[in-house]
Amino acid sequence: MKKNLDIIKENWQKIIEKMQNEFDISNISFETWIKPLTILKYEKDTLYINVPEEGYIPYLKKKYEKPLLITIEEETNIHIDIVFSTPDDIKEKTKITRDQKSRYQNAGISPTYTFDNFVIGSSNSLAHATSLAVAENPGLLHNPLYIFGQSGLGKTHLLHAIALYIIKENENANVRYVTCENLMNDFVNLISFNKGPEEFKIKYRDVDILLVDDIQFLSHKRALQEEFFNIFNTLYENNKQIVITSDKPPRELEDVEERIITRLAWGVPVDIEPPDYETRLAILRKKEDNLGVSLDNEIIKYIAQKITTNIRELEGALGLIIAKERLEKISITLNQAMELLDKTIKEEDLNSNKMQKITQIVADHFHLLFKDIISEKKGRNYSRPRQIAIYLINEKTEETLVSIGNFFGGRDHSTIIHSIRTINEQLKVDKELKNIVENIKKKIN
Ligand code: ADP
Ligand code: MG
């Protein structure tokens, strides 16, 4: 299926000529008003038409908008809206003021994840609608807004979109976005640099909207939980909006104080599910548009069929093919794309199987459960085997530190480096450890 924009562009000449005939437009009018029109862009079922002078717009709208709409529909079967604009107009509207930019930076967000860029489907429509409602009326409707779902489904995207929207609409709103991990870092830094909790409090309590990404990292962190509890209460009592994301519903958060769980569930948690086929297609097409590329439709369909549970991976697959095209300056065929994707996916499977296998062998060796090893459980009984598993995965697979971290319950890559170093150092002095590791290696091989 061709894109509407392409179809209209290809038929543009035909369309305006037909319009001239059917609507009896004189040659002079045609030359003056219609011929100079060019297509600027197509977005959300709206065709933006470039007009040479801003002064033309009211007249064009009054006299030629309807004829143009009718002719486009007759000629292409595409039903759309039309906006006449000058290029400056568009620039003006999408231009981010310097002031806004620094407010984005202060808030901790980047301006790429917007509501406009978010494709809505049945899997995420509730999360999207609730987010938009909160962005339009912060502090009034759902407080806190709690969005949960697996990794790669758009939670962070929605969080940023809310923040961006509020910053744009409310000049004075003090918005702060933070990942739970960074919240922890801030907390630790401020305490260890002896600035005391005051500064931490000011940073997070003096805001109008606080957005905390991946709250599951509160697990087991009692001191941070205490601080978060206080922040939450202060904000809530002052009708400030709180937005939270997590990979699980509040009740399933592990080792988080009951009083926090209760509060997180106050605003009715909404979940976000893996997208269906149609939504996956729509997301890929949107990304194509954003990147200004257009791949063969069969390739797009193939990607959407192949990658089903994670939008980040969906984008990754698209990126892979685009990169290959650019690098080799070729137009990739469906077969080549299939081969490329199948190979990559297989390698990924193989690697994640390897991670799983090694972790299972380590778990068996220490008589632990697989899920305990990858959990956040503390204590040497768990942390030592976990470090060994991480060390061995790093040695035996091509996995990146980040993906090892993800596999182990979303740990930061610095934690992974720390584990690898620790085992490395201890292997030099600890004979018993050396034996254990050798034994496990034999089992792996
Ligand atoms: P999560 O925080 O749930 O792990 P992200 O918000 O980081 O997931 O999304 C992963 C990637 O997928 C991002 O690049 C994001 O822009 C994209 N994405 C997710 N959902 C959508 C959607 N509905 N429409 C367009 N892009 C999406
Ligand atoms: Mg996220």
Side-chain angles (χ1 to χ4, degrees):
M1 203 181 72
K2 265 214 179 122
K3 296 222 176 83
N4 287 350
L5 175 63
D6 293 339
I7 298 173
I8 297 171
K9 265 191 178 161
E10 274 166 28
N11 291 293
W12 187 244
Q13 206 52 38
K14 252 203 242 152
I15 291 170
I16 56 176
E17 279 163 16
K18 182 168 177 180
M19 171 168 123
Q20 184 185 11
N21 283 334
E22 299 209 338
F23 291 88
D24 245 350
I25 300 171
S26 71
N27 277 341
I28 173 85
S29 291
F30 183 79
E31 293 292 325
T32 314
W33 301 106
I34 311 296
K35 217 165 158 208
L37 301 179
T38 54
I39 294 169
L40 206 52
K41 63 171 186 171
Y42 181 82
E43 222 177 72
K44 284 195 178 160
D45 293 332
T46 304
L47 184 70
Y48 289 79
I49 295 180
N50 191 7
V51 177
E53 286 288 335
E54 205 177 334
Y56 287 19
I57 293 177
Y59 184 75
L60 277 168
K61 239 176 112 76
K62 187 159 167 246
K63 192 129 194 229
Y64 295 115
E65 186 176 79
K66 278 245 169 64
L68 199 50
L69 280 175
I70 292 168
T71 322
I72 290 175
E73 194 165 348
E74 277 179 7
E75 193 62 31
T76 65
N77 261 331
I78 299 171
H79 184 75
I80 45 162
D81 287 329
I82 287 180
V83 170
F84 294 108
S85 61
T86 58
D88 288 347
D89 235 18
I90 296 218
K91 257 191 236 142
E92 206 50 50
K93 273 184 202 135
T94 50
K95 200 172 67 189
I96 296 167
T97 64
R98 190 183 278 158
D99 178 44
Q100 265 172 358
K101 204 166 160 194
S102 75
R103 290 178 69 214
Y104 294 157
Q105 281 163 357
N106 286 340
I109 49 175
S110 76
T112 45
Y113 290 158
T114 60
F115 282 120
D116 274 351
N117 280 335
F118 192 83
V119 175
I120 305 162
S122 55
S123 57
N124 60 27
S125 59
L126 184 62
H128 171 267
T130 323
S131 298
L132 189 59
V134 161
E136 284 169 345
N137 301 288
L140 272 183
L141 294 164
H142 309 263
N143 210 8
L145 168 61
Y146 186 102
I147 306 171
F148 67 95
Q150 284 160 219
S151 170
L153 297 183
K155 302 182 297 294
T156 298
H157 189 135
L158 283 175
L159 227 55
H160 282 238
I162 295 172
L164 286 167
Y165 189 100
I166 294 177
I167 288 177
K168 248 191 195 149
E169 294 296 312
N170 313 275
E171 251 176 37
N172 301 316
N174 191 356
V175 177
R176 184 161 300 282
Y177 164 90
V178 67
T179 62
C180 194
E181 263 189 308
N182 281 340
L183 194 68
M184 180 70 195
N185 292 342
D186 262 3
F187 180 58
V188 172
N189 282 341
L190 289 174
I191 288 175
S192 56
F193 287 117
N194 266 339
K195 285 189 186 151
E198 259 338 286
E199 210 161 308
F200 183 77
K201 280 180 191 152
I202 291 172
K203 186 164 174 189
Y204 293 104
R205 283 186 189 174
D206 269 11
V207 300
D208 300 307
I209 296 97
L210 178 66
L211 309 105
V212 184
D213 209 353
D214 290 323
I215 198 84
Q216 68 271 17
F217 284 103
L218 270 189
S219 286
H220 310 291
K221 304 186 178 86
R222 286 299 165 121
L224 181 64
Q225 287 179 26
E226 175 74 29
E227 224 30 71
F228 177 78
F229 179 74
N230 293 329
I231 295 170
F232 186 102
N233 286 339
T234 310
L235 293 176
Y236 189 85
E237 278 156 22
N238 291 304
N239 293 324
K240 307 295 189 193
Q241 179 71 46
I242 303 158
V243 188
I244 307 280
T245 70
S246 171
D247 64 354
K248 37 178 103 60
R251 283 273 146 230
E252 288 174 24
L253 290 171
E254 226 181 282
D255 192 18
V256 171
E257 288 177 57
E258 180 59 31
R259 54 184 188 164
I260 293 181
I261 290 183
T262 317
R263 279 169 175 72
L264 292 178
W266 272 348
V268 188
V270 287
D271 70 342
I272 190 163
E273 305 253 333
D276 56 21
Y277 176 69
E278 295 303 321
T279 313
R280 297 201 295 278
L281 272 185
I283 289 172
L284 288 168
R285 299 217 163 99
K286 182 109 198 170
K287 301 282 162 190
E288 268 189 304
D289 269 355
N290 288 346
L291 293 168
V293 295
S294 165
L295 290 180
D296 185 294
N297 206 39
E298 293 306 311
I299 297 183
I300 295 292
K301 282 191 195 157
Y302 187 73
I303 301 176
Q305 275 160 14
K306 209 65 195 168
I307 297 171
T308 54
T309 55
N310 186 318
I311 297 171
R312 195 174 295 116
E313 285 172 12
L314 204 61
E315 289 178 352
L318 183 71
L320 194 70
I321 291 174
I322 294 171
K324 176 132 179 134
E325 285 205 331
R326 289 199 174 146
L327 200 69
E328 301 183 6
K329 299 200 172 65
I330 50 165
S331 232
I332 247 180
T333 63
L334 177 61
N335 274 338
Q336 286 169 319
M338 286 164 87
E339 219 173 89
L340 187 63
L341 285 182
D342 289 353
K343 196 169 137 239
T344 322
I345 291 168
K346 238 188 237 138
E347 270 165 16
E348 271 169 16
D349 277 358
L350 219 64
N351 266 332
S352 77
N353 283 342
K354 260 196 204 159
M355 279 210 276
Q356 219 150 4
K357 205 174 122 198
I358 293 172
T359 310
Q360 188 63 58
I361 292 173
V362 175
D364 289 347
H365 185 94
F366 289 99
H367 306 288
L368 292 174
L369 292 174
F370 180 86
K371 78 172 187 357
D372 287 337
I373 282 212
I374 61 169
S375 77
E376 304 196 19
K377 280 197 178 154
K378 290 240 161 57
R380 209 175 139 83
N381 287 346
Y382 298 108
S383 65
R384 177 42 89 77
R386 185 177 301 133
Q387 288 176 336
I388 294 176
I390 291 171
Y391 168 85
L392 287 169
I393 288 172
N394 182 56
E395 192 181 292
K396 300 257 168 210
T397 74
E398 304 291 307
E399 293 292 339
T400 62
L401 297 171
V402 173
S403 81
I404 300 177
N406 284 339
F407 184 76
F408 284 85
R411 286 180 163 78
D412 192 73
H413 75 281
S414 58
T415 315
I416 303 301
I417 295 179
H418 176 74
S419 300
I420 298 167
R421 282 208 186 122
T422 306
I423 297 296
N424 241 331
E425 289 304 309
Q426 290 180 0
L427 277 176
K428 290 179 194 156
V429 290
D430 186 338
K431 272 230 170 89
E432 199 191 323
L433 177 70
K434 205 170 164 200
N435 279 336
I436 293 174
V437 170
E438 287 308 320
N439 268 333
I440 297 176
K441 271 190 189 170
K442 271 185 207 145
K443 287 187 200 163
I444 294 171
N445 294 332

